């Protein structure tokens, strides 16, 4: 709710992550709460104004998901990349930090990154900002190999690239393949004065919940100020 209290929770497992699976989950929520006015959805992919581009759920790729959900449910809808949402949640713990980033290294697929500059999510003109998998110095095959053999080295290279672009003061890192940041040394690449404070975050889900709440509550308050129902 608007006070940040979790009033209902349900877990739906899917092999495909299809539109039908998503709608079934939404239907279940609406059936249990007729007061829902806003849907805020995080997805592992690029969402540009609700149109899905690259997506780990391949059945949702190249779909105007927001338009589909608008037509079906007639509710306010926000669709955002999951790591961007987690980055928003992470930033809530550091309100005095103007340059902040969050990185998530999954066990499979490729790294995700969100960037907060002056407390605003930096998404780029096509919402492609943070797609570190496309950095030109490592092919996808090389990234796959490093992820298996030396995930910390892969993460360091990606973090250094991020530091050279936005020079963050704080970087949060979550990983499914490393359990700590011991021997995580940036000295070979950056002088101390340019190295960010690095914070290891074990549970990305909690950050996503927090980020979803921020996005949803901001939209609801904006609609109330504009006199919308």
């Amino acid at each position: 709710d608007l006070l940040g209290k979790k009033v209902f929770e349900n877990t739906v497992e899917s092999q495909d992550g299809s539109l039908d699976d998503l709608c079934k989950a939404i239907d279940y929520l609406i059936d249990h709460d007729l007061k829902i006015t806003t849907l805020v959805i995080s997805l592992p992919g690029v969402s540009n104004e609700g149109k899905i581009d690259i997506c780990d759920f391949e059945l949702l790729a190249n779909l105007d998901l927001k338009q589909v959900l608008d037509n079906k449910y007639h509710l306010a809808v926000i669709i955002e990349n999951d790591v961007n949402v987690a980055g928003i949640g992470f930033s809530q713990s550091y309100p005095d930090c103007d340059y902040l980033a969050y990185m998530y290294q999954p066990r499979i697929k490729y790294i995700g990154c969100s960037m907060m500059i002056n407390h605003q999510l930096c998404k780029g003109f096509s919402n492609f900002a943070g797609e570190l998998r496309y950095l030109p110095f490592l092919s996808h095959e090389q990234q796959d190999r490093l992820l298996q053999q030396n995930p910390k080295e892969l993460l360091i290279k990606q973090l250094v690239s991020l530091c050279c672009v936005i020079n963050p003061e704080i970087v949060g890192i979550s990983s499914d393949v490393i359990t700590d940041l011991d021997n995580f040394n940036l000295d070979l690449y950056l002088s101390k004065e340019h190295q960010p404070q690095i914070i290891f975050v074990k549970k990305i889900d909690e950050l996503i919940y927090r980020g979803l709440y921020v996005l949803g509550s901001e939209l609801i308050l904006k609609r109330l100020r504009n006199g919308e129902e």
Side-chain angles (χ1 to χ4, degrees):
D1 60 18
L2 281 175
L3 297 178
K5 179 182 177 182
K6 186 186 296 184
V7 296
F8 182 77
E9 181 176 6
N10 185 48
T11 300
V12 178
E13 295 184 0
S14 168
Q15 293 292 328
D16 303 316
S18 67
L19 175 61
D20 186 56
D21 293 329
L22 177 60
C23 288
K24 285 180 180 178
I26 295 172
D27 290 340
Y28 189 85
L29 289 174
I30 292 175
D31 288 344
H32 284 75
D33 189 347
L34 299 178
K35 296 180 181 179
I36 289 177
T37 62
T38 305
L39 296 174
V40 190
I41 299 169
S42 69
L43 289 176
V46 176
S47 170
N48 190 0
E49 302 297 329
K51 296 178 181 179
I52 310 304
D53 182 11
I54 305 160
C55 189
D56 291 350
F57 296 149
E58 295 179 359
L59 295 178
L60 297 181
N62 303 310
L63 176 68
D64 190 343
L65 183 58
K66 185 178 187 303
Q67 186 65 54
V68 171
L69 298 181
D70 281 343
N71 292 338
K72 183 175 178 63
Y73 296 107
H74 306 289
L75 299 172
V77 178
I78 297 175
I79 302 169
E80 186 55 83
N81 170 267
D82 54 353
V83 181
N84 280 347
V85 173
I88 293 171
F90 179 69
S91 71
Q92 300 303 297
S93 298
Y94 305 96
D96 296 326
C97 180
D98 292 331
Y99 296 91
L100 177 146
Y102 173 76
M103 304 172 72
Y104 169 58
Q105 183 184 53
R107 188 177 304 278
I108 56 175
K109 299 293 184 181
Y110 300 101
I111 193 164
C113 172
S114 62
M115 298 169 286
M116 302 290 293
I117 300 176
N118 294 325
H119 308 283
Q120 297 295 318
L121 182 64
C122 177
K123 299 194 292 185
F125 81 95
S126 67
N127 288 24
F128 191 72
E131 292 294 329
L132 299 182
R133 73 177 81 179
Y134 293 102
L135 289 170
F137 54 77
L138 287 174
S139 68
H140 285 177
E141 291 78 11
Q142 290 172 316
Q143 291 180 58
D144 291 339
R145 187 163 54 251
L146 264 181
L147 184 63
Q148 297 299 320
Q149 298 174 356
N150 194 344
K152 282 188 180 179
E153 180 61 25
L154 174 61
L155 191 57
I156 286 173
K157 290 180 181 296
Q158 292 163 329
L159 173 57
V160 170
S161 299
L162 177 66
C163 290
C164 293
V165 174
I166 70 164
N167 188 208
E169 178 185 355
I170 297 174
V171 177
I173 294 177
S174 298
S175 174
D176 293 339
V177 292
I178 62 177
T179 57
D180 58 64
L181 295 180
D182 293 344
N183 302 316
F184 199 80
N185 192 344
L186 303 182
D187 292 345
L188 290 176
Y189 305 96
L190 300 172
S191 61
K192 290 290 187 183
E193 63 185 301
H194 301 306
Q195 294 182 24
Q197 177 186 357
I198 301 174
I199 298 170
F200 192 70
V201 182
K202 292 185 178 181
K203 296 182 179 180
I204 184 175
D205 287 349
E206 293 180 2
L207 298 182
I208 291 176
Y209 292 147
R210 195 182 306 172
L212 291 171
Y213 167 73
V214 171
L215 290 174
S217 59
E218 287 180 348
L219 178 59
I220 290 171
L221 292 174
K222 178 181 177 181
R223 288 168 61 86
L224 288 174
R225 286 194 295 268
N226 292 338
E228 301 177 47
E229 293 184 358

